[in-house]
Amino acid sequence: MGLPDPAPIPRASPDLIPEPDRTPALIIHLSPLLGLVLPALGNVLGPLAAWLAYRDRAPVLDQQGKEALNFQLSVWLYAFLTGLLFLALFSLGLLGGVFGAAAGSPHLGALALFGSLAAFFAFFIPASLVLWALPLVVMLLAVLRVSQGQAYRYPLRIRFIR
């Protein structure tokens, strides 16, 4: 009779963050708050600095830093594209007003101006609120998950850094 097989050695899951690495992971995920001090760039510079500081400590910190940085770069890109789209809509409305007034119809000019303002209130303000609130909510979810020792994957992120 042979001896029973020994119990398998438990391996660390890549989705688990060891206790010593949780504080640096929390710093990485909270680093976009630098955007409150440095608007427009702080939310990207914070994760970049945190990732560069902690990426060599542990593979899980490297992965979490890339996640946070990729998400913030994605949000920055989404905000930039939203601004371009708003500028295009607003400009089209103003151009329509100019051409309408040039054609001799002041009512078309007023309607185009109204359309431009409607694009601002119906599109740009709601999109800006979503692009402001979404990163905060997702960051809080990441902090909660990491504080429980689980790695976090951000939604809607583009993988700029692999």
Side-chain angles (χ1 to χ4, degrees):
M1 290 213 179
L3 295 172
D5 290 334
I9 299 171
R11 294 185 184 173
S13 170
D15 291 337
L16 294 179
I17 300 175
E19 186 67 37
D21 293 333
R22 288 185 191 171
T23 300
L26 286 171
I27 291 171
I28 287 170
H29 290 292
L30 287 171
S31 64
L33 291 176
L34 184 62
L36 298 173
V37 178
L38 297 171
L41 286 178
N43 64 324
V44 174
L45 292 178
L48 176 64
W51 173 59
L52 291 174
Y54 293 118
R55 69 180 175 176
D56 295 332
R57 248 194 212 183
V60 71
L61 293 177
D62 182 45
Q63 184 262 337
Q64 290 296 289
K66 288 176 186 176
E67 284 287 320
L69 183 58
N70 282 330
F71 179 71
Q72 293 300 325
L73 287 170
S74 299
V75 168
W76 192 87
L77 178 65
Y78 300 148
F80 180 75
L81 293 176
T82 300
L84 283 180
L85 183 59
F86 168 71
L87 184 64
L89 291 174
F90 192 77
S91 298
L92 284 175
L94 291 179
L95 285 176
V98 167
F99 288 126
S105 177
H107 299 298
L108 286 177
L111 185 62
L113 180 61
F114 177 73
S116 294
L117 292 175
F120 179 74
F121 289 109
F123 171 72
F124 187 68
I125 289 179
S128 295
L129 288 174
V130 167
L131 288 171
W132 174 80
L134 177 71
L136 288 176
V137 169
V138 172
M139 181 183 62
L140 290 176
L141 291 173
V143 166
L144 288 173
R145 179 82 51 92
V146 166
S147 67
Q148 296 169 352
Q150 300 172 354
Y152 187 74
R153 296 242 179 227
Y154 284 87
L156 305 174
R157 58 132 170 64
I158 300 169
R159 295 186 77 191
F160 295 105
I161 300 170
R162 296 184 183 270

